[in-house]
Amino acid sequence: MNIDSKQLEKIVKLVANKIEDLETKPIAGSSRLGIFEDMNDAVEAAYVAQKALFELTLSDRKKIIDAIKAHLRSYIEEISMLAFEETGMGRYEHKVIKNTLVIDKTPSVEDLKAGVFTGDDGLTLLEMSPFGVIGAISPSTNPSETVICNAIGMIAAGNSVVFSPHPGAYKTSNRAVELINEAIQFVNGPINLVCTVDHPSLDKANIMMHHPKINLICATGGPAVVKAVLSTGKKAIGAGAGNPPVFVDKTANIENAARDIVLGSSFDNNLPCIAEKEAIVMDEVCDYLIFNMKNNGAYEVKDKELCLLEKLVLCDKGYPKKEFIGKNADYILSKIGIDVDPSIVLIIMEVSKDHPFVQEELMMPILPIVRVKDAKEGIELACQVEHGFRHTAICHSRDIEVLSEMGRRIQTTIFVKNGPSYAGIGVGGEGFTTFTIAGPTGEGLTSASTFTRKRRCVLVNGFNIK
Ligand code: NAD
């Protein structure tokens, strides 16, 4: 191979940069890329990194995001297995799908679209600036997916991010942070653009939330964390719990509806916040729906078996017991003396609308079914059991009026028609993906533009060329 002097100079420069990087890498409190013991150190490091990012161009940011996506692609199996082993929840093969999805379908800098007005008085631009350092709280149910998705969107928007991961899933979340920082280093991006803490705790989360250098907080989790971030007095994005109802109308294609409901409700053992959590079905098609669900991997429990199941998975107050969250259907059934093969992925049962299985977000492959007499009653009940979370709802119908009426009444952030719930985050449905769906605070499906400050730049009497 012949190398000319210009190429040689380039190689020497690259090596010199790498050596300089390595020399400057160790930062107080950090032994692994972006991972700190002390939350204050994490925030300080992210603060320095954001300043460096802001000096780079948009194409540099794009290069960083492309590098993150390319690097993570080689680690999908590793992080999926790590999540499965660390949390003991969900299904490995579905975690592979979720991690692939965030890498493939999380928008990058192309999401930042400026607005414009021109007229007699000149030109006005609506531009998007970074917030600075974002504090992001991530859940145990999507530990790496949330980190990857948030990091891509937040960096694309020009921010750095400090994660406060779930204590029960932090090894997975932190591995994702480490891999993201590795990728950023490969393209000479700022170090510590994505930071986190080892051994996370509520104390560490509180330090992050109240740190003066945190400009925006983004929480993905249950009601407690959303309430906590909204009480900080800072700008906060709250992506909270859901209890998605699926309504099946008499006009639906019942075979397809049965298949899609089993697929959506059993996905990752019902951990996703968007997964079907209760089915509301018109009486005249209910028996046929149940028959078809059983042909697609559902097992129906009744009477004594139902009582045993309630006792097994609910505590005295009617809340789900932690140890059964995200477990396989055949495992749960085995605990009440029912042996089925692993092709059974969902447990179904008919109950009344007040049953805790309907009212509570179980996050188990257990789908209660409530009969209703008509679409009006079905839509009303769907609105009630969604509890106003404005998260996700699904409807199977071929009646355009029923579909429109439910979408209008329920006002959820995601409304899927005639498909599994996960079509709403881009699996077999059009559109980008996100793992932070901000219902309570109204941003909806978050992406890079969500993590920007909207600004107006006015040029008086110029550039109107109409
Ligand atoms: P969780 O609420 O127990 O924990 C989520 C995160 O919040 C964790 O990092 C936890 O440590 C932190 N946290 C909890 N209470 C806190 C407090 N008072 N102060 C600061 N931090 C606090 O939830 P989980 O079990 O990890 O995840 C499942 C929940 O998250 C479900 O309710 C699910 O619907 C919801 N979720 C919502 C979305 C969405 O986009 N809307 C996405 C995924 C999960």
Coordinates of all heavy atoms in Angstrom, one line a residue, residues 98-132:
K98 N -37.2 -4.4 20.7 CA -37.3 -3.0 21.3 C -35.9 -2.3 21.1 O -35.9 -1.1 20.7 CB -37.7 -3.1 22.7 CG -39.1 -3.6 23.0 CD -39.6 -3.3 24.4 CE -38.8 -3.8 25.5 NZ -39.3 -3.4 26.8
N99 N -34.8 -2.9 21.4 CA -33.5 -2.2 21.2 C -33.2 -1.9 19.8 O -32.7 -0.9 19.4 CB -32.4 -3.1 21.9 CG -32.4 -2.9 23.4 OD1 -32.2 -1.8 23.9 ND2 -32.6 -4.0 24.1
T100 N -33.6 -2.9 18.9 CA -33.4 -2.6 17.4 C -34.2 -1.4 17.0 O -33.8 -0.6 16.2 CB -33.8 -3.9 16.6 OG1 -33.1 -5.0 17.2 CG2 -33.4 -3.7 15.2
L101 N -35.5 -1.4 17.5 CA -36.4 -0.3 17.1 C -35.8 1.0 17.5 O -35.9 2.0 16.7 CB -37.7 -0.6 17.9 CG -38.8 0.4 17.7 CD1 -39.4 0.4 16.2 CD2 -40.0 0.2 18.7
V102 N -35.3 1.2 18.7 CA -34.8 2.6 19.1 C -33.6 3.0 18.2 O -33.5 4.2 18.0 CB -34.4 2.7 20.6 CG1 -35.5 3.1 21.4 CG2 -33.7 1.6 21.1
I103 N -32.8 2.0 17.9 CA -31.7 2.3 17.1 C -32.1 2.7 15.7 O -31.7 3.7 15.1 CB -30.7 1.1 17.0 CG1 -30.1 0.9 18.4 CG2 -29.5 1.4 16.0 CD1 -29.3 -0.4 18.6
D104 N -33.1 2.0 15.1 CA -33.5 2.2 13.7 C -34.4 3.4 13.6 O -34.3 4.1 12.6 CB -34.3 1.0 13.2 CG -33.4 -0.2 12.9 OD1 -32.2 0.0 12.8 OD2 -34.0 -1.3 12.7
K105 N -35.3 3.7 14.6 CA -36.4 4.6 14.3 C -36.4 5.8 15.2 O -37.4 6.5 15.3 CB -37.7 3.9 14.3 CG -37.9 3.0 13.1 CD -39.3 2.4 13.1 CE -40.0 2.8 11.8 NZ -41.4 2.2 11.7
T106 N -35.4 6.1 16.0 CA -35.3 7.3 16.8 C -34.8 8.4 15.9 O -33.7 8.3 15.4 CB -34.5 7.2 18.1 OG1 -35.0 6.1 18.8 CG2 -34.6 8.4 18.9
P107 N -35.5 9.5 15.8 CA -35.1 10.6 14.8 C -33.8 11.3 15.4 O -33.6 11.4 16.6 CB -36.3 11.6 14.8 CG -37.4 10.9 15.4 CD -36.9 9.8 16.3
S108 N -33.0 11.8 14.4 CA -31.8 12.5 14.7 C -32.0 14.0 14.4 O -33.2 14.5 14.6 CB -30.7 11.9 13.8 OG -29.5 12.6 14.0
V109 N -31.0 14.7 13.9 CA -31.1 16.2 13.7 C -32.2 16.6 12.7 O -32.7 17.7 12.7 CB -29.8 16.8 13.3 CG1 -28.8 16.7 14.4 CG2 -29.2 16.1 12.1
E110 N -32.6 15.7 11.9 CA -33.6 16.0 10.9 C -35.0 16.4 11.5 O -35.9 17.0 10.9 CB -33.8 14.9 9.8 CG -34.6 13.6 10.3 CD -33.7 12.7 11.2 OE1 -32.5 13.0 11.4 OE2 -34.3 11.7 11.6
D111 N -35.1 16.1 12.8 CA -36.3 16.4 13.5 C -36.4 17.9 13.9 O -37.5 18.3 14.2 CB -36.3 15.5 14.8 CG -37.7 15.5 15.5 OD1 -38.6 15.1 14.8 OD2 -37.8 15.8 16.7
L112 N -35.3 18.6 13.8 CA -35.3 20.0 14.2 C -35.7 20.9 13.0 O -34.8 21.3 12.2 CB -33.9 20.4 14.7 CG -33.3 19.5 15.8 CD1 -31.9 19.9 16.0 CD2 -34.1 19.6 17.0
K113 N -37.0 21.1 12.9 CA -37.4 21.9 11.7 C -37.8 23.3 12.2 O -38.7 23.4 13.0 CB -38.6 21.2 11.0 CG -38.2 19.9 10.4 CD -39.3 19.3 9.5 CE -39.0 18.0 9.0 NZ -39.3 16.8 9.9
A114 N -37.1 24.3 11.6 CA -37.5 25.7 12.0 C -38.8 26.1 11.3 O -39.2 25.6 10.3 CB -36.3 26.6 11.5
G115 N -39.4 27.1 12.0 CA -40.6 27.7 11.4 C -40.3 29.0 10.8 O -39.2 29.6 11.1
V116 N -41.1 29.6 10.0 CA -40.8 30.9 9.3 C -42.0 31.7 9.0 O -43.1 31.1 8.7 CB -39.9 30.6 8.1 CG1 -40.7 29.8 7.0 CG2 -39.4 31.9 7.5
F117 N -41.9 33.0 9.2 CA -42.9 33.9 8.7 C -42.2 35.0 7.9 O -41.2 35.5 8.3 CB -43.6 34.7 9.9 CG -44.2 33.9 10.9 CD1 -43.6 33.5 12.1 CD2 -45.6 33.4 10.7 CE1 -44.2 32.8 13.1 CE2 -46.2 32.7 11.7 CZ -45.5 32.3 12.9
T118 N -42.7 35.3 6.7 CA -42.2 36.4 6.0 C -43.4 37.3 5.6 O -44.5 36.8 5.4 CB -41.4 36.0 4.7 OG1 -42.3 35.3 3.8 CG2 -40.2 35.2 5.0
G119 N -43.1 38.6 5.5 CA -44.2 39.6 5.1 C -43.6 41.0 4.9 O -42.4 41.1 4.9
D120 N -44.5 42.0 4.9 CA -44.1 43.3 4.7 C -43.0 43.8 5.7 O -42.2 44.6 5.5 CB -45.3 44.3 4.8 CG -46.2 44.0 3.6 OD1 -45.8 43.4 2.6 OD2 -47.4 44.4 3.7
D121 N -43.1 43.2 7.0 CA -42.2 43.6 8.0 C -40.9 42.8 8.1 O -40.1 43.0 9.0 CB -42.9 43.6 9.4 CG -44.1 44.6 9.5 OD1 -43.9 45.7 8.8 OD2 -45.1 44.3 10.1
G122 N -40.7 41.9 7.2 CA -39.5 41.2 7.1 C -39.6 39.7 7.4 O -40.5 39.1 6.9
L123 N -38.6 39.2 8.1 CA -38.5 37.7 8.2 C -38.4 37.4 9.7 O -37.7 38.0 10.5 CB -37.2 37.3 7.6 CG -36.7 35.9 7.9 CD1 -37.5 34.8 7.1 CD2 -35.2 35.8 7.6
T124 N -39.2 36.4 10.1 CA -39.1 35.9 11.5 C -38.9 34.4 11.5 O -39.6 33.6 10.8 CB -40.4 36.2 12.3 OG1 -40.5 37.6 12.5 CG2 -40.4 35.5 13.6
L125 N -37.9 33.9 12.2 CA -37.6 32.5 12.3 C -38.0 32.0 13.6 O -37.8 32.6 14.7 CB -36.1 32.3 12.1 CG -35.5 32.4 10.7 CD1 -34.0 32.2 10.8 CD2 -36.1 31.4 9.8
L126 N -38.6 30.8 13.6 CA -38.9 30.1 14.9 C -37.8 29.0 15.0 O -37.9 28.0 14.2 CB -40.3 29.5 14.9 CG -41.4 30.5 14.7 CD1 -42.7 29.8 14.7 CD2 -41.4 31.5 15.8
E127 N -36.8 29.2 15.8 CA -35.7 28.3 15.9 C -35.7 27.4 17.2 O -36.5 27.7 18.1 CB -34.4 29.1 15.8 CG -33.9 29.2 14.4 CD -33.5 27.8 13.8 OE1 -33.8 26.7 14.3 OE2 -32.8 27.8 12.8
M128 N -34.9 26.4 17.2 CA -34.8 25.5 18.3 C -33.5 25.4 18.9 O -32.5 25.0 18.3 CB -35.2 24.1 17.8 CG -36.6 24.1 17.3 SD -36.9 22.4 16.6 CE -38.6 22.5 16.4
S129 N -33.4 25.8 20.2 CA -32.1 25.8 20.9 C -32.1 24.7 21.9 O -33.1 24.4 22.4 CB -31.8 27.1 21.6 OG -31.4 28.1 20.6
P130 N -30.9 24.3 22.3 CA -30.8 23.3 23.4 C -31.2 23.9 24.7 O -31.1 25.1 24.9 CB -29.4 22.8 23.4 CG -28.6 23.8 22.5 CD -29.6 24.5 21.7
F131 N -31.6 23.0 25.6 CA -31.8 23.5 27.0 C -30.5 23.6 27.7 O -30.3 24.4 28.6 CB -32.7 22.5 27.7 CG -34.2 22.8 27.6 CD1 -34.9 22.2 26.6 CD2 -34.8 23.6 28.5 CE1 -36.3 22.5 26.4 CE2 -36.2 23.9 28.3 CZ -36.9 23.3 27.3
G132 N -29.6 22.7 27.5 CA -28.3 22.6 28.2 C -28.1 21.2 28.7 O -27.9 20.3 27.9

